[in-house]
Amino acid sequence: MPQAKSTMAEEVLLKELPPSPEPEEAPCPEAAPQDIPPPPAPPGPQIPPLFVVMISPELAPVAKVGGLADVVFGLGRELEMRGNAVEMILPKYDCMRYDHIYGLCKTYENLWVPWFGGAIHCTVWFGFVHGRKCFFIEPHSNDSYFNRGVIYGQQDDVLRFAFFSRAALEFMLKTGKHPDIIHCHDWQTALTPVLLYEIYQHLGMTHPRVCFTVHNFRHQGVAGSQVLQATGLNRPEYYFHYDRLRDPANPAAVNLMKGGIVYSNFVTTVSPRHAWEAKDGGQGHGLEHILHVHQNKYGGVLNGLDCEMFNPETDRHIPASFSADKIEGKYENKRALRHRFWLADNEKPIVAFVGRLDPQKGLDLVRHAIFYALNNRAQFVLLGSAPDKPTNDHFWGLKHHLNNSPDCHLEIGYNLELAHLIYAGADLMIVPSRYEPCGLTQLIAMRYGTVPVVRSVGGLADTVFDKDYSDRPLHERNGYVFHQPDNAGLESALHRAIGCYYHFPDHFRNLISNGMRADISWKHPGQHYLNIYDYIRDK
């Protein structure tokens, strides 16, 4: 088990390393990393290129539930652009967007994964996802772990993804992959470093180091001892030790996320503010103590945005392209959005909400924002679906109640193309989250010239700077911020935002420009992750 390092994590994140050149295109979909030709070495000092394997339950756009999918894709591409070899391993879900996978083919047909004292036969497939090299693991068993029509939400999710973690390592072992870095994402892959250091390093996988990114502390993968028996870890008296996997709240359960934190060489979460909130602000959902124990290998790296996927100048999902210098197209998209939702064509600003209808997102404040906007000379559009039926039913009822309003439309569900139109056509985007590890909604909104109105929490506080009260320079102020998670706080920000739209249009236009010109790409986060990789690979 790796020990916490004495060097402070903050020093690692702030260290500047020189960029590497763009990679050459990989010539063929081979399983072994040795077949990837190295990029030509530029003159001067540089970081030696790394071989990075990302193990993730999601990847945009083929298997996307939330922002995790976008992060894995965006970071992977940034690392490749810097000259590193990157491969990704995912489950082969039956519900993937196969139309986004190019050249899907079988690459390893007889992978036998140890499981419950026996083994499960798997096939590993290879394909390119918009240029990313991806391996998809397909188990052949009566449990049909990834043939459920959904990605999450099954009673045996812990076992499903524990199997995936073991299968990913078994695949790397059998194909001779020895990456410099294994980067795991969220609780679904948190057992990977445990298995690596307790089993696979004794089988010859001594080279890889593990970076583990927590995208949401709320979901941790808590289960009984069965998961230890299934994966071959077996010794419950060892793993149930408080310093290893024992769940802080339930002494009879193991906590996979805790195991990932303990066994990884470095742990990140997705914004500096949320890293502090999780460790010291009561948002670690029981893992605060273990974060303190391992604080010297823990830090926050703010997510970037895939600025090619979200680009108003080239976006195929919107009727009119535009940029910060040629903003006129945004107003064509606003007219198209109104036409799509049968909204009145008037002078009012459009306030929008795009996201999961989850309590985390501050749904009581979303509901209040709808009526506040309608009562204060604004229109409102919503796109989202709930993971639970009562919440879904509530918003369907709200939709029927407001169905005849010429200034409101609620779209219950999710549609990628429609989301892009809302980002491009709305004037204001509300993100009133109770907690928000990073949040991509506000980043996408700014990219499309839609001014964010957010609560000062997590990554929202790290990316949105209030027009009136921020201590940032004027050219960095890009939205409106409120602090208290109540109606008064929300109203204070929306009142100022709508007032600025009507009474100070030049100021509002400056906010649009500031957001669109800000560097919210993966450039700086990619550098931070390279700092981390460079730090841990020789430890």
Side-chain angles (χ1 to χ4, degrees):
M1 184 193 323
Q3 300 299 312
K5 310 300 185 295
S6 58
T7 305
M8 293 301 293
E10 289 82 355
E11 296 178 8
V12 179
L13 296 175
L14 292 174
K15 177 185 175 186
E16 290 296 331
L17 297 175
S20 297
E22 293 191 5
E24 294 182 355
E25 189 70 27
C28 59
E30 297 295 332
Q34 291 81 359
D35 293 330
I36 304 170
Q46 60 170 317
I47 313 170
L50 298 170
F51 175 32
V52 180
V53 171
M54 290 201 180
I55 303 178
S56 173
E58 297 184 38
L59 176 69
V62 294
K64 176 177 166 64
V65 175
L68 187 158
D70 298 297
V71 169
V72 175
F73 183 91
L75 177 57
R77 181 162 69 183
E78 178 67 24
L79 294 173
E80 284 189 342
M81 289 173 60
R82 291 168 176 263
N84 303 285
V86 180
E87 297 177 359
M88 301 180 179
I89 302 178
L90 292 93
K92 187 176 183 290
Y93 304 105
D94 60 350
C95 57
M96 288 194 302
R97 290 285 303 269
Y98 284 92
D99 56 319
H100 287 277
I101 306 175
Y102 174 75
L104 186 64
C105 60
K106 293 180 181 179
T107 192
Y108 198 92
E109 295 198 46
N110 287 298
L111 180 69
W112 290 91
V113 179
W115 194 244
F116 275 118
I120 292 179
H121 176 228
C122 296
T123 299
V124 182
W125 297 71
F126 176 89
F128 288 97
V129 176
H130 295 269
R132 310 288 75 72
K133 297 182 66 174
C134 299
F135 295 93
F136 303 94
I137 295 177
E138 178 186 27
H140 306 292
S141 75
N142 295 331
D143 292 309
S144 298
Y145 279 144
F146 306 117
N147 295 323
R148 309 281 184 90
V150 295
I151 293 178
Y152 307 135
Q154 305 291 287
Q155 289 186 342
D156 59 345
D157 273 0
V158 171
L159 278 178
R160 294 169 65 222
F161 289 103
F163 174 82
F164 169 59
S165 296
R166 177 95 206 225
L169 285 168
E170 191 71 18
F171 171 60
M172 285 191 281
L173 176 70
K174 293 299 171 59
T175 55
K177 291 182 183 292
H178 296 281
D180 299 295
I181 303 295
I182 297 174
H183 194 153
C184 303
H185 294 270
D186 244 354
W187 74 263
Q188 293 90 346
T189 64
L191 206 58
T192 302
V194 183
L195 292 165
L196 176 67
Y197 286 108
E198 293 290 356
I199 295 177
Y200 283 88
Q201 73 168 355
H202 304 297
L203 300 177
M205 291 185 67
T206 58
H207 184 65
R209 297 295 181 263
V210 182
C211 178
F212 175 50
T213 296
V214 178
H215 294 259
N216 194 327
F217 280 96
R218 178 181 171 191
H219 307 288
Q220 300 179 359
V222 178
S225 60
Q226 184 184 33
V227 71
L228 300 178
Q229 302 163 12
T231 54
L233 293 171
N234 291 323
R235 296 175 290 162
E237 71 286 349
Y238 178 77
Y239 294 105
F240 271 94
H241 191 280
Y242 187 74
D243 292 334
R244 294 186 181 90
L245 270 70
R246 192 181 83 174
D247 183 66
N250 183 353
V254 292
N255 184 309
L256 301 196
M257 182 175 285
K258 180 179 177 180
I261 293 169
V262 171
Y263 279 81
S264 294
N265 299 96
F266 207 95
V267 181
T268 68
T269 190
V270 289
S271 72
R273 172 69 173 261
H274 188 63
W276 175 86
E277 290 170 343
K279 182 169 70 75
D280 298 301
Q283 292 189 23
H285 294 271
L287 296 181
E288 292 84 356
H289 173 73
I290 206 69
L291 291 175
H292 272 275
V293 171
H294 295 277
Q295 62 183 331
N296 285 331
K297 62 171 189 179
Y298 170 67
V301 178
L302 188 66
N303 284 342
L305 186 70
D306 186 333
C307 292
E308 291 188 25
M309 182 177 296
F310 298 104
N311 185 351
E313 297 185 61
T314 60
D315 194 333
R316 296 179 293 104
H317 303 311
I318 60 177
S321 61
F322 63 100
S323 67
D325 295 318
K326 297 181 180 179
I327 199 66
E328 295 78 15
K330 180 168 179 65
Y331 305 114
E332 292 184 41
N333 290 306
K334 184 174 182 178
R335 286 189 290 271
L337 178 58
R338 282 176 166 154
H339 179 75
R340 175 73 178 268
F341 286 158
W342 293 9
L343 298 178
D345 191 4
N346 52 38
E347 82 289 355
K348 296 179 179 179
I350 298 178
V351 182
F353 173 85
V354 177
R356 295 192 321 277
L357 299 178
D358 185 287
Q360 170 197 342
K361 302 298 181 180
L363 297 185
D364 56 325
L365 298 180
V366 173
R367 187 183 191 282
H368 186 74
I370 296 172
F371 291 99
Y372 183 84
L374 296 180
N375 291 329
N376 287 271
R377 300 168 59 205
Q379 297 179 322
F380 197 98
V381 298
L382 176 146
L383 174 65
S385 61
D388 63 281
K389 188 175 185 300
T391 302
N392 229 42
D393 290 346
H394 174 79
F395 277 88
W396 269 107
L398 200 57
K399 174 181 174 69
H400 292 312
H401 175 69
L402 296 167
N403 195 49
N404 294 325
S405 171
D407 289 325
C408 185
H409 182 88
L410 309 184
E411 188 77 11
I412 312 302
Y414 187 75
N415 178 296
L416 175 65
E417 293 78 9
L418 186 54
H420 281 239
L421 178 59
I422 294 174
Y423 282 119
D427 299 290
L428 296 163
M429 181 69 65
I430 63 161
V431 192
S433 302
R434 296 289 173 176
Y435 71 96
E436 192 64 69
C438 178
L440 294 180
T441 300
Q442 81 282 9
L443 299 180
I444 301 170
M446 289 189 290
R447 180 79 168 141
Y448 284 80
T450 298
V451 177
V453 179
V454 309
R455 182 166 171 253
S456 180
V457 65
L460 301 174
D462 286 330
T463 54
V464 181
F465 311 113
D466 193 273
K467 172 188 177 294
D468 301 315
Y469 299 114
S470 174
D471 57 3
R472 295 275 183 139
L474 290 176
H475 71 274
E476 294 184 14
R477 302 184 191 185
N478 52 18
Y480 292 89
V481 178
F482 64 99
H483 297 272
Q484 298 304 318
D486 54 29
N487 292 346
L490 174 69
E491 288 181 11
S492 70
L494 265 182
H495 174 76
R496 290 186 294 121
I498 295 172
C500 183
Y501 175 89
Y502 277 115
H503 303 300
F504 302 99
D506 289 345
H507 292 188
F508 197 85
R509 176 65 181 83
N510 288 338
L511 291 176
I512 292 174
S513 179
N514 291 349
M516 295 188 74
R517 295 181 191 280
D519 184 358
I520 53 176
S521 71
W522 275 100
K523 176 182 177 182
H524 295 294
Q527 183 66 66
H528 290 319
Y529 275 113
L530 283 176
N531 292 347
I532 292 169
Y533 298 165
D534 188 60
Y535 169 67
I536 65 176
R537 65 174 171 171
D538 295 323
K539 298 297 180 182

